[in-house]
Structures are given as C-alpha cells and as structure tokens.
Amino acid sequence: MNQPSARIELPNPLDPEETMSRDQIESIQLTRLQDTLAYAYDRVPLYKEKYDTAGVHPSDLKELADLAKFPFTEKEDLRKTYPFGMFAVPQHEVARIHASSGTTGRATVVGYTQQDLDDWAKLGARCLRIAGVKPGWKVHNAYGYGLFTGGLGAHAAAERLGTTVIPMSGGQTEKQITLIQDFEPDAILCTPTYLLTIGDAMKRAGLDPRKTSLKTAVLGAEPWTQEMRHELEVMFNIDACDIYGLSEVMGPGVAGESNQTKDGSHIWEDHFRPEIIDAFDPTKVLGDGEHGELVFTSLTKQALPIIRYRTHDLTRLLPGSARPGHRRMGRITGRSDDMIILRGVNLFPSQIEEIALRIDGLSPHFQLEITRPGRMDQLAVRIERREECSTERAQAAAKELAAQIKIHVGSSCAIDIVEPGTLARSSGKLRRIYDLRNK
Ligand code: DLL
C-alpha cells in the first residue's frame, strides 16, 4: 500500500565544534595552523621557496598573529604550478579534482583526499543545517555539476545532512520547473540570479512561484544584496540564506548563514583561519569590523593546503551570532578585480543592485557597460523594466535611478531601460560587467 507517510523529525545534532567558545576555537586554530605551515613547507616546493625567500620558517608561528609574517598565496601561484604542482600528496591519494573555468588565463586546479572530501561534506552540511534545511527534506540542487565545485559540493553536503538529493544541475529551466512541481522539494540550492530566472520563467508559464513546495533556498557563488534576498523571499515565499566558498579554499561550505539571524555567513573557523587585509596595502592586517579583502588559511586540508590565500573578495569580519565561537563575514560587496573605476569613483555591481531594487518598476536584471567614446569613461546601466511597469513609469524610474546613483555612488551614468526578458540570463554565475574600453 502506498500510504503517504507523515513527516517525522529526524535527529539533527550540531557538530561539537559548532558550539565551541571563541577561546576553544582559537586554541584549535593555533595548533592546526602550526601543523599546516610545517606540512605545506615540507611537502610543497612553492611554499618552501616562498618562505625561504621571505626568511620565515613554520616554527616562527608562536601565536595566531604571527601568521601575518608569512607570504600570501595568489591564484597566479596555482596557475604557475598548473596542474598539480601545489598538491601536497601523491596523486594516488587524491580522490577528486575540481577546476575553475578560468575566464582569463589557465584554469586553476584543486584536489581533495578522501579525508578532505569528508570534511567538505561535513562543513557543507553545517551550512545547510544552519540555513534551516532538515534531514529528511527533499533538496533540489541546481548548482552546476562537473569541474565547478558548486554541484558536487552542495550534493555531498545535502547527502551528509541526511536529505533526499535531486541532482538536477544548472540549466534547462523548464525541466527545473517541472521537477520542482512534480518532486515537491523543500529546499533549492543555486545561485541567486538563477533562482530569479526560475521564478520569472514560472510566472511566464502562468505558475505562481509562491505556491511551490519550497521553503528554503541556500544561495551563493556570486555576490547578492539584502534587496535581492527580499526580492527572492517574496517571489517564492521562502527563506533565503547565503552560502559562501571558493574552490581554492574548498568549495561551497567555507561559511554559511543562519535562517534565524540572516546576518551574514559564519566561517567555520575550526577549519579555516580568516584575515582581512587592506587590499591596496596588503601588509596591513585589519581589525574585526573593518572593510578589506578576505584572506584564508586552511587548517586541515591535506591535498591542497592553502596559506594566506588572497580571495579578492571584499567584506569584513563580524562577531559570531548564531554560532558565537565562529566569526561571520559581512556581505561581499564585490571583488577587488570586479571594481569599476569610473572617472576616479569606485563602483560595484552590488551597489547598483541595491539602488535599483528600491525603485518601483525596475527589475533585478541589469548589466553595466563601460565605454570610452572620447577620453572619458562612460557607464551605461542597461536594466529591464518589470513586466507590470508601464513604459512611461519606466522612464521616470530611469531618471530616479540615475539620480540615486549620482547621490550614492557619485558618478553620472546613462540608463537604458529594456524590455523584460531581453538581457542574458545565466544558470551559474551571472556576468554583470561588460567593459568595452579596450575593444
Ligand atoms: O563559487 C563555490 C560556491 C559554489 C560557493 C556554490 C557557494 C555556492 P568558485 O567558482 O571558485 O567557487 O568562485 C569563488 O565566488 O571568491 C566569490 O567571489 C564568489 N562567491 C562564492 N560564494 C559567494 C557568496 C564557488 N555567497 C568566488 N557571496 C568567490 C558572494 C560569492 N560571492
């Protein structure tokens, strides 16, 4: 007999490290950091060479602050040693390889031992749990599967938590919608802009995104704002939480946000030591609360230990809230290499997102185009009007957007309102900036 079974609450205990005090975490960090530095120095020629040149030795790390004495690791280091030169274990101990697509230059390749995969799944599961995903739930995973860490990383996290995973991967938006309708998942994992695309496509098909079975979305892989959170939460009638990570450090699951506090992602500091540095003067390590570039050191990784890795992500560290021993990261305002410098003014796509979504009639679908017709840089914001917004109203919205950008960002720009559905969509990371200055 095929009786629908009543939902039962499955056990969902926190990892003991999740509830550790700040002191306990820092004490673990110190020993793990000492071990990692020695391990990397002994096993990865590039680290030995860098430290010898800088005149530092792993034994110089006596307290956490001593980490600042050690050189940074950059994406370029992984490229120089492509493909496996920074691996610290022989190939037969590497259980899996991932790689970043590398829009510029060579791909960066990362590797995991079985233990690394196990830790990754555990930390990913922490992120889903803190976001409110429960064992026994059905989880629709629309992060891309393959060399990108999103798909398989989120998949393992959801399995580890004890959910039923639907490994849909990215793309095929109509099929995504069919599966969401038919399989009735409780949670969805994808990029924020892809969830938006799914919602728009549902509306176009005459379906109400607020009526799906979805309760929670765990979104990451690209910057998104509070305004975008609000947009998606209202659109789908769900809770939307952040998940952060990067392949060089692990993949999705380095940090995750609580659905209770929705105040930024908790960094799992028993496995990673974060720092914030001044992006323009990297010798300066900044204090908690100060904005700068996020730097990570892995504390337990075997295949690819990574020390003081410059993420180029701009944010700040905040005290833990839902997990008091682990610090949070503020929202990522952008990447230092995504920063547009327009006639001397620094600008990030997230600022435009924030402003545009507060204006009636404007959709979250926009692109930024920078050109240099004469000697001056020009910014054009191309943005779709909302379906229900009239063309006249959209013109007024355009004026308001230009004025708000002038006030809040400090630069003038042209606004081009376009029809709904005309700008490119992506099932993964969305490209917002089109810099045509050197074309
Ligand atoms: O994007 C890993 C990931 C997959 C994270 C799925 C979350 C969900 P990479 O392709 O190596 O790895 O890209 C890493 O993406 O340095 C950030 O610039 C950006 N990023 C990742 N998560 C967030 C987030 C994955 N929650 C780069 N908010 C990072 C803002 C994010 N930016």
Side-chain angles (χ1 to χ4, degrees), residues 142-182:
Y143 286 117
Y145 282 66
L147 286 173
F148 174 50
T149 52
L152 284 164
H155 182 104
E159 273 189 356
R160 173 63 62 93
L161 187 66
T163 67
T164 307
V165 193
I166 302 157
M168 173 59 209
S169 193
Q172 296 182 274
T173 307
E174 277 168 28
K175 187 166 173 189
Q176 305 267 0
I177 295 172
T178 306
L179 293 195
I180 292 170
Q181 299 283 107
D182 296 350

mmCIF file of all heavy atoms in Angstrom, residues 142-182:
data_model
loop_
_atom_site.group_PDB
_atom_site.id
_atom_site.type_symbol
_atom_site.label_atom_id
_atom_site.label_comp_id
_atom_site.label_asym_id
_atom_site.label_seq_id
_atom_site.Cartn_x
_atom_site.Cartn_y
_atom_site.Cartn_z
ATOM 1 N N ALA A 142 20.490 22.800 -7.942
ATOM 2 C CA ALA A 142 20.628 23.359 -9.297
ATOM 3 C C ALA A 142 21.972 24.071 -9.491
ATOM 4 O O ALA A 142 22.116 24.870 -10.409
ATOM 5 C CB ALA A 142 19.464 24.294 -9.595
ATOM 6 N N TYR A 143 22.944 23.796 -8.617
ATOM 7 C CA TYR A 143 24.311 24.251 -8.916
ATOM 8 C C TYR A 143 24.857 23.306 -9.985
ATOM 9 O O TYR A 143 24.557 22.111 -9.982
ATOM 10 C CB TYR A 143 25.197 24.170 -7.673
ATOM 11 C CG TYR A 143 24.930 25.247 -6.646
ATOM 12 C CD1 TYR A 143 24.483 24.926 -5.376
ATOM 13 C CD2 TYR A 143 25.161 26.595 -6.949
ATOM 14 C CE1 TYR A 143 24.247 25.917 -4.423
ATOM 15 C CE2 TYR A 143 24.928 27.583 -6.008
ATOM 16 C CZ TYR A 143 24.475 27.242 -4.752
ATOM 17 O OH TYR A 143 24.247 28.221 -3.832
ATOM 18 N N GLY A 144 25.703 23.843 -10.860
ATOM 19 C CA GLY A 144 26.231 23.040 -11.962
ATOM 20 C C GLY A 144 27.138 21.902 -11.479
ATOM 21 O O GLY A 144 28.030 22.121 -10.668
ATOM 22 N N TYR A 145 26.897 20.710 -11.984
ATOM 23 C CA TYR A 145 27.756 19.552 -11.669
ATOM 24 C C TYR A 145 28.926 19.539 -12.656
ATOM 25 O O TYR A 145 28.782 19.972 -13.797
ATOM 26 C CB TYR A 145 26.965 18.242 -11.791
ATOM 27 C CG TYR A 145 26.067 17.972 -10.596
ATOM 28 C CD1 TYR A 145 24.976 18.795 -10.326
ATOM 29 C CD2 TYR A 145 26.322 16.912 -9.728
ATOM 30 C CE1 TYR A 145 24.164 18.567 -9.234
ATOM 31 C CE2 TYR A 145 25.500 16.671 -8.625
ATOM 32 C CZ TYR A 145 24.424 17.500 -8.382
ATOM 33 O OH TYR A 145 23.627 17.271 -7.289
ATOM 34 N N GLY A 146 30.045 19.028 -12.215
ATOM 35 C CA GLY A 146 31.211 18.938 -13.096
ATOM 36 C C GLY A 146 32.435 19.473 -12.400
ATOM 37 O O GLY A 146 32.581 19.333 -11.182
ATOM 38 N N LEU A 147 33.294 20.117 -13.157
ATOM 39 C CA LEU A 147 34.537 20.620 -12.561
ATOM 40 C C LEU A 147 34.277 21.741 -11.559
ATOM 41 O O LEU A 147 35.018 21.913 -10.594
ATOM 42 C CB LEU A 147 35.482 21.107 -13.659
ATOM 43 C CG LEU A 147 36.145 19.995 -14.476
ATOM 44 C CD1 LEU A 147 36.912 20.572 -15.648
ATOM 45 C CD2 LEU A 147 37.067 19.145 -13.601
ATOM 46 N N PHE A 148 33.223 22.520 -11.771
ATOM 47 C CA PHE A 148 32.802 23.556 -10.807
ATOM 48 C C PHE A 148 32.488 22.868 -9.471
ATOM 49 O O PHE A 148 31.848 21.820 -9.447
ATOM 50 C CB PHE A 148 31.555 24.252 -11.371
ATOM 51 C CG PHE A 148 30.898 25.241 -10.448
ATOM 52 C CD1 PHE A 148 31.635 26.236 -9.819
ATOM 53 C CD2 PHE A 148 29.524 25.187 -10.212
ATOM 54 C CE1 PHE A 148 31.009 27.158 -8.979
ATOM 55 C CE2 PHE A 148 28.897 26.099 -9.375
ATOM 56 C CZ PHE A 148 29.639 27.087 -8.753
ATOM 57 N N THR A 149 32.935 23.483 -8.373
ATOM 58 C CA THR A 149 32.734 22.838 -7.063
ATOM 59 C C THR A 149 31.288 22.919 -6.562
ATOM 60 O O THR A 149 30.915 22.209 -5.638
ATOM 61 C CB THR A 149 33.626 23.495 -5.985
ATOM 62 O OG1 THR A 149 33.400 24.908 -6.018
ATOM 63 C CG2 THR A 149 35.094 23.191 -6.203
ATOM 64 N N GLY A 150 30.485 23.793 -7.183
ATOM 65 C CA GLY A 150 29.129 24.027 -6.674
ATOM 66 C C GLY A 150 28.258 22.777 -6.624
ATOM 67 O O GLY A 150 27.699 22.442 -5.581
ATOM 68 N N GLY A 151 28.144 22.092 -7.759
ATOM 69 C CA GLY A 151 27.213 20.964 -7.856
ATOM 70 C C GLY A 151 27.560 19.824 -6.918
ATOM 71 O O GLY A 151 26.785 19.465 -6.019
ATOM 72 N N LEU A 152 28.755 19.270 -7.103
ATOM 73 C CA LEU A 152 29.125 18.110 -6.280
ATOM 74 C C LEU A 152 29.325 18.496 -4.822
ATOM 75 O O LEU A 152 29.042 17.706 -3.918
ATOM 76 C CB LEU A 152 30.390 17.442 -6.846
ATOM 77 C CG LEU A 152 30.112 16.608 -8.102
ATOM 78 C CD1 LEU A 152 31.399 16.304 -8.847
ATOM 79 C CD2 LEU A 152 29.395 15.303 -7.751
ATOM 80 N N GLY A 153 29.798 19.726 -4.584
ATOM 81 C CA GLY A 153 29.993 20.173 -3.202
ATOM 82 C C GLY A 153 28.672 20.261 -2.461
ATOM 83 O O GLY A 153 28.521 19.728 -1.352
ATOM 84 N N ALA A 154 27.686 20.900 -3.087
ATOM 85 C CA ALA A 154 26.377 21.032 -2.443
ATOM 86 C C ALA A 154 25.696 19.669 -2.343
ATOM 87 O O ALA A 154 24.979 19.374 -1.375
ATOM 88 C CB ALA A 154 25.507 22.007 -3.234
ATOM 89 N N HIS A 155 25.931 18.828 -3.342
ATOM 90 C CA HIS A 155 25.348 17.481 -3.351
ATOM 91 C C HIS A 155 25.803 16.686 -2.121
ATOM 92 O O HIS A 155 24.994 16.125 -1.381
ATOM 93 C CB HIS A 155 25.778 16.766 -4.638
ATOM 94 C CG HIS A 155 25.219 15.391 -4.788
ATOM 95 N ND1 HIS A 155 24.185 15.104 -5.647
ATOM 96 C CD2 HIS A 155 25.530 14.230 -4.176
ATOM 97 C CE1 HIS A 155 23.889 13.811 -5.552
ATOM 98 N NE2 HIS A 155 24.700 13.260 -4.671
ATOM 99 N N ALA A 156 27.121 16.673 -1.911
ATOM 100 C CA ALA A 156 27.669 15.905 -0.784
ATOM 101 C C ALA A 156 27.173 16.476 0.545
ATOM 102 O O ALA A 156 26.890 15.727 1.488
ATOM 103 C CB ALA A 156 29.199 15.936 -0.837
ATOM 104 N N ALA A 157 27.043 17.802 0.594
ATOM 105 C CA ALA A 157 26.566 18.452 1.824
ATOM 106 C C ALA A 157 25.144 17.994 2.141
ATOM 107 O O ALA A 157 24.816 17.645 3.285
ATOM 108 C CB ALA A 157 26.605 19.969 1.644
ATOM 109 N N ALA A 158 24.306 17.980 1.111
ATOM 110 C CA ALA A 158 22.895 17.619 1.306
ATOM 111 C C ALA A 158 22.767 16.138 1.683
ATOM 112 O O ALA A 158 21.953 15.768 2.527
ATOM 113 C CB ALA A 158 22.109 17.939 0.043
ATOM 114 N N GLU A 159 23.601 15.301 1.058
ATOM 115 C CA GLU A 159 23.584 13.874 1.425
ATOM 116 C C GLU A 159 24.020 13.689 2.869
ATOM 117 O O GLU A 159 23.424 12.927 3.619
ATOM 118 C CB GLU A 159 24.532 13.094 0.507
ATOM 119 C CG GLU A 159 23.883 12.644 -0.764
ATOM 120 C CD GLU A 159 24.751 11.689 -1.574
ATOM 121 O OE1 GLU A 159 25.910 11.410 -1.185
ATOM 122 O OE2 GLU A 159 24.278 11.239 -2.615
ATOM 123 N N ARG A 160 25.099 14.405 3.237
ATOM 124 C CA ARG A 160 25.626 14.258 4.586
ATOM 125 C C ARG A 160 24.601 14.683 5.644
ATOM 126 O O ARG A 160 24.498 14.084 6.698
ATOM 127 C CB ARG A 160 26.916 15.076 4.733
ATOM 128 C CG ARG A 160 27.485 15.136 6.146
ATOM 129 C CD ARG A 160 27.885 13.758 6.655
ATOM 130 N NE ARG A 160 28.927 13.202 5.833
ATOM 131 C CZ ARG A 160 30.218 13.323 6.089
ATOM 132 N NH1 ARG A 160 30.631 13.927 7.177
ATOM 133 N NH2 ARG A 160 31.108 12.804 5.279
ATOM 134 N N LEU A 161 23.826 15.698 5.318
ATOM 135 C CA LEU A 161 22.818 16.147 6.282
ATOM 136 C C LEU A 161 21.690 15.123 6.420
ATOM 137 O O LEU A 161 20.978 15.117 7.412
ATOM 138 C CB LEU A 161 22.250 17.512 5.847
ATOM 139 C CG LEU A 161 21.307 18.175 6.844
ATOM 140 C CD1 LEU A 161 22.055 18.563 8.122
ATOM 141 C CD2 LEU A 161 20.650 19.407 6.245
ATOM 142 N N GLY A 162 21.571 14.250 5.436
ATOM 143 C CA GLY A 162 20.514 13.242 5.508
ATOM 144 C C GLY A 162 19.263 13.648 4.749
ATOM 145 O O GLY A 162 18.149 13.251 5.096
ATOM 146 N N THR A 163 19.446 14.430 3.689
ATOM 147 C CA THR A 163 18.292 14.814 2.876
ATOM 148 C C THR A 163 18.213 13.895 1.655
ATOM 149 O O THR A 163 19.135 13.132 1.379
ATOM 150 C CB THR A 163 18.420 16.269 2.362
ATOM 151 O OG1 THR A 163 19.499 16.340 1.426
ATOM 152 C CG2 THR A 163 18.682 17.244 3.505
ATOM 153 N N THR A 164 17.130 13.993 0.923
ATOM 154 C CA THR A 164 16.989 13.308 -0.357
ATOM 155 C C THR A 164 17.419 14.304 -1.428
ATOM 156 O O THR A 164 16.781 15.336 -1.603
ATOM 157 C CB THR A 164 15.504 12.944 -0.606
ATOM 158 O OG1 THR A 164 15.031 12.231 0.532
ATOM 159 C CG2 THR A 164 15.330 12.130 -1.874
ATOM 160 N N VAL A 165 18.506 13.993 -2.126
ATOM 161 C CA VAL A 165 19.037 14.976 -3.077
ATOM 162 C C VAL A 165 18.479 14.742 -4.482
ATOM 163 O O VAL A 165 18.445 13.609 -4.958
ATOM 164 C CB VAL A 165 20.579 14.914 -3.168
ATOM 165 C CG1 VAL A 165 21.114 16.136 -3.900
ATOM 166 C CG2 VAL A 165 21.201 14.802 -1.804
ATOM 167 N N ILE A 166 18.081 15.819 -5.124
ATOM 168 C CA ILE A 166 17.671 15.774 -6.526
ATOM 169 C C ILE A 166 18.778 16.481 -7.324
ATOM 170 O O ILE A 166 18.882 17.701 -7.296
ATOM 171 C CB ILE A 166 16.309 16.478 -6.708
ATOM 172 C CG1 ILE A 166 15.261 15.791 -5.813
ATOM 173 C CG2 ILE A 166 15.885 16.489 -8.179
ATOM 174 C CD1 ILE A 166 14.073 16.648 -5.465
ATOM 175 N N PRO A 167 19.647 15.691 -7.981
ATOM 176 C CA PRO A 167 20.855 16.283 -8.608
ATOM 177 C C PRO A 167 20.568 16.868 -9.979
ATOM 178 O O PRO A 167 21.022 16.372 -10.989
ATOM 179 C CB PRO A 167 21.811 15.089 -8.694
ATOM 180 C CG PRO A 167 20.919 13.895 -8.802
ATOM 181 C CD PRO A 167 19.604 14.225 -8.140
ATOM 182 N N MET A 168 19.807 17.938 -10.006
ATOM 183 C CA MET A 168 19.335 18.497 -11.273
ATOM 184 C C MET A 168 20.439 19.196 -12.069
ATOM 185 O O MET A 168 20.424 19.218 -13.277
ATOM 186 C CB MET A 168 18.182 19.473 -10.970
ATOM 187 C CG MET A 168 17.691 20.268 -12.141
ATOM 188 S SD MET A 168 17.102 19.241 -13.494
ATOM 189 C CE MET A 168 17.441 20.294 -14.894
ATOM 190 N N SER A 169 21.409 19.811 -11.379
ATOM 191 C CA SER A 169 22.450 20.620 -12.026
ATOM 192 C C SER A 169 21.839 21.914 -12.594
ATOM 193 O O SER A 169 20.641 22.148 -12.433
ATOM 194 C CB SER A 169 23.162 19.837 -13.130
ATOM 195 O OG SER A 169 24.336 20.517 -13.533
ATOM 196 N N GLY A 170 22.658 22.741 -13.221
ATOM 197 C CA GLY A 170 22.161 24.031 -13.725
ATOM 198 C C GLY A 170 21.571 23.902 -15.125
ATOM 199 O O GLY A 170 21.775 22.900 -15.803
ATOM 200 N N GLY A 171 20.840 24.902 -15.553
ATOM 201 C CA GLY A 171 20.326 24.930 -16.925
ATOM 202 C C GLY A 171 19.001 24.198 -17.081
ATOM 203 O O GLY A 171 18.437 23.691 -16.108
ATOM 204 N N GLN A 172 18.509 24.160 -18.314
ATOM 205 C CA GLN A 172 17.226 23.512 -18.635
ATOM 206 C C GLN A 172 16.116 24.014 -17.708
ATOM 207 O O GLN A 172 15.487 23.242 -16.980
ATOM 208 C CB GLN A 172 17.339 21.993 -18.495
ATOM 209 C CG GLN A 172 18.309 21.343 -19.454
ATOM 210 C CD GLN A 172 18.304 19.842 -19.250
ATOM 211 O OE1 GLN A 172 19.026 19.333 -18.388
ATOM 212 N NE2 GLN A 172 17.493 19.135 -20.004
ATOM 213 N N THR A 173 15.886 25.324 -17.762
ATOM 214 C CA THR A 173 14.993 25.949 -16.788
ATOM 215 C C THR A 173 13.587 25.325 -16.785
ATOM 216 O O THR A 173 12.988 25.141 -15.725
ATOM 217 C CB THR A 173 14.943 27.464 -17.044
ATOM 218 O OG1 THR A 173 16.299 27.937 -17.057
ATOM 219 C CG2 THR A 173 14.176 28.205 -15.982
ATOM 220 N N GLU A 174 13.094 24.944 -17.968
ATOM 221 C CA GLU A 174 11.738 24.346 -17.992
ATOM 222 C C GLU A 174 11.703 23.038 -17.229
ATOM 223 O O GLU A 174 10.750 22.739 -16.508
ATOM 224 C CB GLU A 174 11.294 24.105 -19.431
ATOM 225 C CG GLU A 174 10.708 25.372 -20.030
ATOM 226 C CD GLU A 174 10.508 25.282 -21.520
ATOM 227 O OE1 GLU A 174 10.301 24.159 -22.043
ATOM 228 O OE2 GLU A 174 10.563 26.338 -22.163
ATOM 229 N N LYS A 175 12.783 22.274 -17.398
ATOM 230 C CA LYS A 175 12.834 20.988 -16.678
ATOM 231 C C LYS A 175 12.959 21.226 -15.172
ATOM 232 O O LYS A 175 12.382 20.489 -14.366
ATOM 233 C CB LYS A 175 14.020 20.177 -17.193
ATOM 234 C CG LYS A 175 14.056 18.786 -16.630
ATOM 235 C CD LYS A 175 15.018 17.926 -17.411
ATOM 236 C CE LYS A 175 15.190 16.576 -16.738
ATOM 237 N NZ LYS A 175 16.266 15.817 -17.369
ATOM 238 N N GLN A 176 13.713 22.265 -14.810
ATOM 239 C CA GLN A 176 13.820 22.605 -13.376
ATOM 240 C C GLN A 176 12.408 22.801 -12.814
ATOM 241 O O GLN A 176 12.064 22.299 -11.755
ATOM 242 C CB GLN A 176 14.600 23.917 -13.169
ATOM 243 C CG GLN A 176 15.975 23.990 -13.775
ATOM 244 C CD GLN A 176 17.094 23.586 -12.823
ATOM 245 O OE1 GLN A 176 16.835 23.235 -11.678
ATOM 246 N NE2 GLN A 176 18.311 23.601 -13.308
ATOM 247 N N ILE A 177 11.613 23.554 -13.562
ATOM 248 C CA ILE A 177 10.261 23.896 -13.083
ATOM 249 C C ILE A 177 9.400 22.630 -12.987
ATOM 250 O O ILE A 177 8.695 22.416 -11.999
ATOM 251 C CB ILE A 177 9.615 24.948 -14.011
ATOM 252 C CG1 ILE A 177 10.426 26.255 -13.919
ATOM 253 C CG2 ILE A 177 8.156 25.192 -13.652
ATOM 254 C CD1 ILE A 177 10.033 27.316 -14.916
ATOM 255 N N THR A 178 9.503 21.780 -13.997
ATOM 256 C CA THR A 178 8.727 20.530 -13.959
ATOM 257 C C THR A 178 9.097 19.718 -12.719
ATOM 258 O O THR A 178 8.223 19.218 -12.001
ATOM 259 C CB THR A 178 9.027 19.685 -15.226
ATOM 260 O OG1 THR A 178 8.786 20.503 -16.355
ATOM 261 C CG2 THR A 178 8.171 18.440 -15.285
ATOM 262 N N LEU A 179 10.399 19.599 -12.464
ATOM 263 C CA LEU A 179 10.817 18.785 -11.311
ATOM 264 C C LEU A 179 10.389 19.421 -9.994
ATOM 265 O O LEU A 179 10.033 18.732 -9.050
ATOM 266 C CB LEU A 179 12.337 18.563 -11.315
ATOM 267 C CG LEU A 179 12.914 17.714 -12.451
ATOM 268 C CD1 LEU A 179 14.343 17.284 -12.126
ATOM 269 C CD2 LEU A 179 12.074 16.480 -12.725
ATOM 270 N N ILE A 180 10.435 20.762 -9.945
ATOM 271 C CA ILE A 180 10.002 21.438 -8.713
ATOM 272 C C ILE A 180 8.496 21.171 -8.503
ATOM 273 O O ILE A 180 8.053 20.890 -7.390
ATOM 274 C CB ILE A 180 10.323 22.949 -8.762
ATOM 275 C CG1 ILE A 180 11.837 23.158 -8.730
ATOM 276 C CG2 ILE A 180 9.658 23.696 -7.604
ATOM 277 C CD1 ILE A 180 12.302 24.579 -9.008
ATOM 278 N N GLN A 181 7.748 21.203 -9.597
ATOM 279 C CA GLN A 181 6.299 20.936 -9.489
ATOM 280 C C GLN A 181 6.041 19.473 -9.092
ATOM 281 O O GLN A 181 5.208 19.199 -8.246
ATOM 282 C CB GLN A 181 5.609 21.167 -10.849
ATOM 283 C CG GLN A 181 5.716 22.560 -11.390
ATOM 284 C CD GLN A 181 4.754 23.491 -10.677
ATOM 285 O OE1 GLN A 181 5.163 24.324 -9.882
ATOM 286 N NE2 GLN A 181 3.478 23.319 -10.926
ATOM 287 N N ASP A 182 6.756 18.553 -9.736
ATOM 288 C CA ASP A 182 6.432 17.130 -9.577
ATOM 289 C C ASP A 182 7.059 16.489 -8.335
ATOM 290 O O ASP A 182 6.434 15.686 -7.669
ATOM 291 C CB ASP A 182 6.899 16.343 -10.814
ATOM 292 C CG ASP A 182 6.155 16.773 -12.072
ATOM 293 O OD1 ASP A 182 5.164 17.536 -11.937
ATOM 294 O OD2 ASP A 182 6.560 16.364 -13.180
#
